[in-house]
Amino acid sequence: EIVLTQSPGTLSLSPGERATLSCRASQSVSSYLAWYQQKPGQAPRLLIYGASSRATGIPDRFSGSGSGTDFTLTISRLEPEDFAVYYCHQYGSSPLYTFGQGTKLEIK
Amino acid sequence: EVQLLESGGGLVQAGGSLRLSCAASGFTFSTYAMNWVRQAPGKGLEWVSTTSVSGGNTYYADSVKGRFTISRDNSKNTLYLQMNSLRAEDTALYYCAKVLVARTYHDAFDIWGQGTMVTVAS
């Protein structure tokens, strides 16, 4: 089983700042890596797939990078609505998928 | 509008059974692999099960293998999860989700339902 480790567990930033979230895989997943945003009481929303492609309707302040085992989600300028929990998800070993444990992005 | 609507959750005693349903609309259901993902209260996401477009191939997380069965009825645009021998640790919000691209497993999950809550009392 491929294990995904996200860091940090919690990130405290202010609106307008830049956020950098990390996801590391225990073995290579090539570019089969997605990022989701989840707000309280809501289902996860797909942000990034294929490590760097933005999903439909996702603002361009969200960007993804990386391949192999190390991946990054960057939010260039935080908006108030961006404070949420973010999960990475590998589908390189699909149909045996795994998710990271999540990073909580909170307002400082 | 592409939509997934789960139902069938509830309170059940440990050792009991429950059948979840997920009604799909707004897309050609029969051409997409489908999945169940769960989230225990206050915890992260856990993949549970996947079915191929025909339902002929199914896959499970080790935590549910042998107890849960995923199936689909393409004529009714509906996905199912039969859950037997339920345990307290199965307590979670269960989401159904479709993959982004038709006829592949190798993809992210682009559409999620709102989830149905399963509570297993010990």
Side-chain angles (χ1 to χ4, degrees), chain A residues 20-93:
Chain A
T20 303
L21 287 67
S22 175
C23 177
R24 176 165 289 179
S26 60
Q27 62 190 83
S28 177
V29 298
S30 185
S31 294
Y32 297 118
L33 194 286
W35 290 93
Y36 301 84
Q37 177 193 68
Q38 188 178 34
K39 297 180 180 179
Q42 296 185 16
R45 177 174 71 142
L46 177 65
L47 300 175
I48 301 288
Y49 63 94
S52 60
S53 297
R54 270 188 303 276
T56 302
I58 301 304
D60 61 7
R61 64 180 181 273
F62 291 91
S63 63
S65 63
S67 67
T69 61
D70 290 296
F71 301 88
T72 300
L73 173 69
T74 301
I75 310 171
S76 58
R77 294 170 312 279
L78 285 166
E79 297 287 342
E81 62 267 27
D82 298 336
F83 293 91
V85 179
Y86 292 83
Y87 294 95
C88 57
H89 164 215
Q90 70 79 20
Y91 46 98
S93 66

Side-chain angles (χ1 to χ4, degrees), chain B residues 71-86:
Chain B
S71 62
R72 64 191 297 162
D73 185 335
N74 287 340
S75 69
K76 294 182 178 179
N77 291 342
T78 302
L79 176 72
Y80 303 100
L81 185 68
Q82 177 67 44
M83 303 185 296
N84 298 331
S85 302
L86 282 161

Side-chain angles (χ1 to χ4, degrees), chain A residues 36 38 43 87 91 94-95 97, chain B residues 39 47 50 105-107 109 113:
Chain A
Y36 301 84
Q38 188 178 34
Y87 294 95
Y91 46 98
S94 58
Y97 308 96
Chain B
Q39 187 169 36
W47 170 73
T50 293
Y105 300 117
H106 264 307
D107 226 323
F109 301 165

Side-chain angles (χ1 to χ4, degrees), chain B residues 38-112:
Chain B
R38 69 185 181 183
Q39 187 169 36
K43 302 297 184 182
L45 302 170
E46 179 188 14
W47 170 73
V48 172
S49 184
T50 293
T51 178
S52 61
V53 295
S54 68
N57 293 302
T58 57
Y59 306 89
Y60 301 92
D62 287 344
S63 58
V64 306
K65 199 174 297 181
R67 300 187 299 122
F68 289 12
T69 302
I70 190 172
S71 62
R72 64 191 297 162
D73 185 335
N74 287 340
S75 69
K76 294 182 178 179
N77 291 342
T78 302
L79 176 72
Y80 303 100
L81 185 68
Q82 177 67 44
M83 303 185 296
N84 298 331
S85 302
L86 282 161
R87 305 167 180 168
E89 55 265 35
D90 296 319
T91 294
L93 186 63
Y94 284 73
Y95 294 103
C96 63
K98 69 173 277 292
V99 293
L100 178 62
V101 174
R103 297 188 178 87
T104 181
Y105 300 117
H106 264 307
D107 226 323
F109 301 165
D110 66 328
I111 302 295
W112 299 61

